[in-house]
Amino acid sequence: MATEKQSHNQTERCQHRGSAHTEAFARCARTQPQQPGVYRSGPQHSHLFICKPCTIRPRSVRASRLNGANARSGQSGHKLPHTYTDTQTDAIMSLTVELFDLPAHQFRVFWGASGSMWQSLWDRFLDFTGDNPLALWTVGSYVYTSLIYWSIGLAYTLLDVTGRPAVLRRYKVQPGTNEPVDPARLRTVIRQVLFNQFCTGLPLLFLMYYLLPGQTRDTIRQLPTFVTVVWQLGVCILIEEVMFYYSHRLLHDGRIYRYIHKRHHEWTAPIAITAMYAHPVENVLSNLLPIAVGVWTTGCHISVAWLWFTLAISNTLHVHSGYHLPLLPSPEQHDYHHLKFNQCYGVLGVLDWLHGTSEMFHRSKQAKRDYIMTSLEPVRETHPDQ
């Protein structure tokens, strides 16, 4: 009875706060009576902080105290502005801190729960495939990367061959090209890509394994932390940008271009699977090493390596696809490179800006279309040629 009476009194004194606050205040007081103004947490509490009833005074009390202060200050003709009491200030500060800490706390809780889920799924996967480090880093990585490449690549290829669904042709970067794609040229691309994957990709995976720090079954089974994943992916992205840019520019040198890189530039309007249509030397130097060196440098876990391979492979397929689709990476820069040859050598565009190798691109209409679409309107309709 005492608890209910206390709750009732406190609820009455908080009416000015609104019905939602009143209900939460009363519920909290009934559930766990304690001194007001104390932070309470737990699933039974739906709010962060309870105001102190003693700080909510009747209007007459507040007015009389203000008048007394005015009299003491000798300014009876002017009312002092309302100021917060120490307890109110403490309450506001505490609430502010809790509000700013809440997203970080919720993220830690979320990542802890999701981390446990991913660890459980990873353990089940290894129970099924086995946890032999050599097999996972070599054969496992080869199978995984091939599945990523051909699942995305064939989806785009079917679109190029059949022209269906027809609505997606509105998103062509170079309308009228590869509609449909030439079957003979397509077979040539498929043969070259399969050769590159098996004869250069698989040996490089064995080399990668032996150059990495010692891999054991225990280290394979333990997933890295979220922070580790983030910084290792960041390092991989930066290394790829540097290595791909300079190796790519080297391949455009007139003394070697016609012997190596010219094969890749047979497609002035590329399709997705031409991403690895290249001379084997180019495939190692410019396609594989920029991705592999980041893995060697960070000594990352195989799960991080596979995540990095997924990002790198899917990105190069999208930018070679010839389609600028909603919510996917913009292909405008690399498509422009295939069109003009001497512009936009990099992945992110940072080194192109630094070396001035994207100036022509930035003066072109394609530069206005170079963004990730968040609507269904094709960029060529938003920014037409004329």
Side-chain angles (χ1 to χ4, degrees), residues 280-317:
V281 172
E282 176 186 349
N283 193 55
V284 173
L285 181 64
S286 193
N287 290 341
L288 301 182
L289 281 179
I291 296 174
V293 170
V295 176
W296 290 329
T297 303
T298 60
C300 63
H301 190 268
I302 189 173
S303 62
V304 181
W306 285 2
L307 177 58
W308 167 231
F309 296 159
T310 303
L311 295 175
I313 293 171
S314 60
N315 181 72
T316 192
L317 287 167

Side-chain angles (χ1 to χ4, degrees), residues 162-223:
T162 64
R164 296 178 182 177
V167 66
L168 294 184
R169 293 168 65 183
R170 299 171 58 214
Y171 297 98
K172 288 283 291 184
V173 179
Q174 298 184 46
T177 59
N178 302 314
E179 298 185 52
V181 65
D182 180 54
R185 298 184 73 197
L186 182 60
R187 288 192 293 268
T188 302
V189 169
I190 293 173
R191 284 195 300 267
Q192 184 67 58
V193 170
L194 290 173
F195 176 86
N196 284 342
Q197 287 179 325
F198 185 78
C199 295
T200 62
L202 187 58
L204 190 65
L205 288 171
F206 276 93
L207 178 63
M208 177 187 294
Y209 173 77
Y210 286 109
L211 290 178
L212 284 169
Q215 303 289 311
T216 66
R217 295 177 187 271
D218 291 336
T219 57
I220 286 289
R221 280 198 169 269
Q222 183 60 47
L223 289 178

Side-chain angles (χ1 to χ4, degrees), residues 23-24 37-38 67 85 90 216 234-235 237-239 269 334:
E23 294 173 3
V38 179
N67 291 334
T85 65
D90 292 343
T216 66
V235 171
I237 291 171
L238 291 176
I239 290 176
H334 197 72

